[in-house]
């Protein structure tokens, strides 16, 4: 299996619930390692640029409003099949459709406030990691 890196964001709703530790524990228990992490309060510009692919979608304004509503924790996770593994741990975008035991099933309330983000492909992972971290902020382990 290939060692990969993926970008994870613990979104404002999960930070507000004091669930940072429980969510990171799920990554670690699944064999993913945190190789970079920081807490940020995103600006409109930073959140909008991050979700630029959704710019024309009807939910874009609400998405940016939500992502800037409080602090987030941004991490780079590393491990075998990290991109798919993280998406599996997260569960479906809409928590009502997320499989039992997934992060979104357990911590998210709505499709807008859905607890976590995870890169959806190798290409997004590379873009998203570089969007938040310089090379000197990533600590290979
Ligand atoms: P994310 O990017 O946050 O990890 O979520 P995702 O890949 O599972 O879903 P994506 O399609 O990339 O959508 C990004 C975020 O936009 C909100 N969304 N709302 N109302 C809607 O139909 C709708 N669709 C997407 C969600 O909050 C989703 O996380
Ligand atoms: Mg996405």
């Amino acid at each position: 299996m290939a060692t990969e890196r993926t970008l994870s964001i613990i979104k404002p709703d999960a930070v507000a619930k004091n669930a940072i530790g429980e969510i990171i524990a799920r990554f670690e228990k699944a064999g993913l390692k945190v190789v970079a992490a920081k807490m940020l309060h995103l600006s409109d510009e930073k959140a909008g640029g991050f979700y630029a692919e959704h710019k024309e979608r009807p939910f874009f304004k609400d998405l940016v409003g939500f992502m800037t509503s409080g602090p987030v924790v941004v991490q780079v996770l590393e491990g075998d099949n990290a991109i798919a593994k993280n998406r599996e741990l997260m569960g479906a975008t809409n928590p009502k459709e997320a499989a039992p035991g997934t992060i979104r099933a357990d911590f998210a309330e709505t499709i807008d406030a859905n607890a976590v983000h995870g890169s959806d492909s190798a290409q997004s992972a590379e873009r998203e990691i570089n969007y938040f971290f310089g090379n000197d902020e990533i600590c290979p382990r």
Side-chain angles (χ1 to χ4, degrees):
M1 265 193 276
T3 299
E4 293 174 341
R5 286 180 179 170
T6 190
L7 188 90
S8 162
I9 303 179
I10 302 176
K11 294 185 180 184
D13 58 322
V15 173
K17 279 184 181 163
N18 240 4
I20 297 169
E22 285 187 64
I23 291 173
I24 291 179
R26 292 190 181 205
F27 299 144
E28 293 189 328
K29 282 180 187 149
L32 296 174
K33 291 179 179 172
V34 178
V35 295
K38 58 179 137 187
M39 190 168 212
L40 296 167
H41 196 140
L42 300 177
S43 63
D44 281 0
E45 193 188 6
K46 191 79 178 172
F50 181 73
Y51 279 119
E53 65 174 313
H54 296 312
K55 212 163 136 199
E56 305 305 327
R57 302 284 194 88
F59 57 80
F60 181 73
K61 202 164 165 261
D62 286 347
L63 177 59
V64 171
F66 168 65
M67 290 300 289
T68 57
S69 67
V72 297
V73 178
V74 189
Q75 315 118 81
V76 178
L77 304 176
E78 185 178 87
D80 286 340
N81 277 333
I83 297 164
K85 192 179 274 183
N86 181 40
R87 296 284 298 192
E88 209 176 294
L89 294 169
M90 288 164 56
T93 307
N94 184 346
K96 292 181 177 67
E97 290 161 14
T102 60
I103 294 169
R104 281 168 166 166
D106 291 344
F107 296 101
E109 307 298 334
T110 66
I111 192 167
D112 300 303
N114 61 4
V116 280
H117 161 81
S119 308
D120 61 11
S121 67
Q123 198 186 353
S124 326
E126 190 180 349
R127 179 187 85 84
E128 293 174 0
I129 290 167
N130 291 328
Y131 191 78
F132 282 110
F133 293 97
N135 262 340
D136 59 348
E137 294 178 300
I138 300 175
C139 305
R141 309 166 36 191

